[in-house]
């Protein structure tokens, strides 16, 4: 039996490790930190951030959920309340954020708020996931709270709505969309960090994998397989040519979350890493050491991560980047071979037609609903 924040006892379905004083640096993805640094350096971001921080109605946001959602507690969604308090206990988050269940068939969860975080989960998510899968999701949101992500998420939501309202004004949304694009890039990376926090709370990799599969394919586990799902991520990264690499980028830009198969592959890779094992063994950065953390060390970690990603990536575009960095002698030939890889190339005009047709089909096939 464990004692959760606030004094009430929780009895988890199984024993799990607790991480007293854990710093969010322990689980934050290097790309999360570097994207946030890049966001803060974006021209105009500081001005927008300070202005919106003062203008956004924090109390109105809380009143909205209080009046039109169900607040999780001992008398309402008690099982979610136990999971929330248990997650805060494991990650040693001193103040348990209020959590609400909102009527929405779309499975989703978010951590928002400026002064203090609020966690919101939809009925679609509650109905979709089993207990251990839901535990990982709640741990994911508590990870957002511990990392201080809520304030940026709130500003992203506000700016996204604002950009839609001023889209008719000539050049009116150019600056806003630049910041929204940068915020989305950071938020996608922050999701990878929060997935790691969810695994630290749930300590059940299979449950985390199942939850991500359900977000992609619904409540049909008997029709799905984790290994086959992860193979999709490998096929997605390695398949196609440079045109597909560009299409991947274009498909990703409007999204707030990374693609689900990619999230699953990233989480499995981290779960097998020495970093994860060290945390589970009790060796991790503490919050009381955060003030002494070197910014340059964070930059080096991020740079090392990106260098490693380029070096090991199977994506054709990353392969071209490696060739450029390595000073490839016949760069034009490599570019030609990469673009036309997988097909027989001829000099006739029919080949150009087929190439364009393939590109068109690739673009059309890339459209689909966003799993959030």
């Amino acid at each position: 039996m464990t004692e959760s924040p606030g004094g009430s006892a929780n009895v988890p379905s199984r024993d799990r490790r607790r991480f007293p004083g854990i710093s969010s640096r322990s689980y934050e993805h290097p790309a999360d930190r570097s994207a946030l640094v890049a966001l803060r350096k974006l021209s105009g971001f500081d001005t927008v951030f300070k202005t919106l921080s003062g203008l956004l109605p924090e109390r109105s946001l809380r009143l909205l959920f209080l009046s039109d959602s169900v607040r999780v507690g001992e008398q309402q969604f008690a099982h979610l309340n136990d999971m929330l308090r248990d997650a805060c206990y494991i990650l040693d988050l001193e103040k348990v954020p209020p959590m609400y269940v909102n009527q929405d068939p779309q499975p989703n969860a978010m951590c928002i708020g400026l002064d203090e975080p609020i966690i919101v989960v939809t009925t679609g998510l509650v109905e979709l996931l089993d207990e251990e899968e839901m535990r990982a999701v709640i741990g994911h949101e508590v990870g957002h709270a511990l990392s201080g992500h809520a304030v940026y998420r709130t500003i992203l939501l506000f700016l996204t709505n604002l950009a839609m309202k001023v889209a008719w004004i000539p050049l009116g949304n150019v600056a806003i969309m630049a910041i929204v694009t940068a915020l989305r890039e950071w938020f996608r990376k922050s999701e990878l960090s929060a997935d790691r926090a969810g695994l630290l709370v749930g300590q059940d990799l299979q449950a985390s994998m199942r939850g991500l599969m359900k977000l992609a394919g619904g409540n049909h586990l008997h029709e799905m397989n984790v290994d086959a799902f992860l193979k999709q991520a490998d096929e997605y990264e390695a398949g196609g040519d440079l045109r597909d690499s560009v299409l991947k980028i274009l498909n990703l830009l409007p999204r707030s979350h990374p693609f689900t198969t990619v999230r699953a592959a990233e989480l499995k890779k981290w779960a097998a890493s020495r970093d994860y094992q060290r945390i589970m063994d009790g060796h991790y950065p503490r919050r009381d050491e955060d003030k002494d953390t070197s910014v340059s060390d964070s930059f080096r970690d991020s740079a090392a991560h990106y260098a490693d990603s380029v070096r090991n990536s199977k994506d054709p575009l990353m392969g071209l980047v490696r060739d450029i960095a390595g000073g490839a002698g016949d760069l034009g030939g490599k570019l030609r071979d990469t673009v036309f890889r997988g097909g027989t190339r001829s000099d006739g005009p029919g080949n150009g037609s087929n190439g364009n047709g393939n590109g068109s089909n690739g673009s059309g096939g890339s459209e689909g609903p966003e799993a959030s």
Side-chain angles (χ1 to χ4, degrees), residues 22 29 79 90 133 149 175 211 214 217 220 281 299-300 327 336:
I22 189 171
H29 195 284
H79 70 294
I90 288 175
E133 295 158 7
H149 291 161
K214 284 183 175 180
H220 304 282
D281 290 340
F299 276 121
R300 278 195 295 270
R336 181 184 63 247

Side-chain angles (χ1 to χ4, degrees), residues 134-251:
M134 194 69 195
R135 190 185 302 280
V137 168
I138 291 176
H140 174 111
E141 298 305 326
V142 170
H144 276 312
L146 184 58
S147 290
H149 291 161
V151 61
Y152 296 105
R153 170 66 164 168
T154 305
I155 290 176
L156 173 59
L157 289 172
F158 179 82
L159 287 179
T160 301
N161 292 332
L162 181 62
M164 294 175 62
K165 292 178 181 177
V166 302
W168 61 273
I169 304 175
L171 301 179
N173 70 334
V174 172
I176 294 174
M177 285 311 300
I179 294 177
V180 167
T181 300
L183 272 167
R184 279 179 176 156
E185 169 62 15
W186 160 75
F187 193 76
R188 286 191 293 268
K189 306 303 185 186
S190 76
E191 287 296 293
L192 301 178
S193 297
D195 283 343
R196 294 177 174 187
L199 180 59
L200 290 177
V201 167
Q203 297 173 28
D204 183 344
L205 180 61
Q206 290 302 309
S208 294
M209 294 290 107
R210 292 198 310 268
L212 289 169
M213 277 202 312
K214 284 183 175 180
L215 287 177
N219 194 12
H220 304 282
L221 278 178
H222 63 289
E223 298 284 357
M224 296 185 283
N225 178 274
V226 170
D227 292 333
F229 186 67
L230 290 170
K231 284 181 181 177
Q232 290 181 224
D234 190 59
E235 183 179 340
Y236 169 79
E237 181 185 4
D241 52 29
L242 284 178
R243 294 166 299 179
D244 295 304
S245 296
V246 174
L247 289 172
K248 292 174 189 177
I249 296 171
L250 294 177
N251 287 339

Side-chain angles (χ1 to χ4, degrees), residues 6 49 203 212 331 341 368:
F49 180 80
Q203 297 173 28
L212 289 169
L331 185 58
R341 187 181 66 187

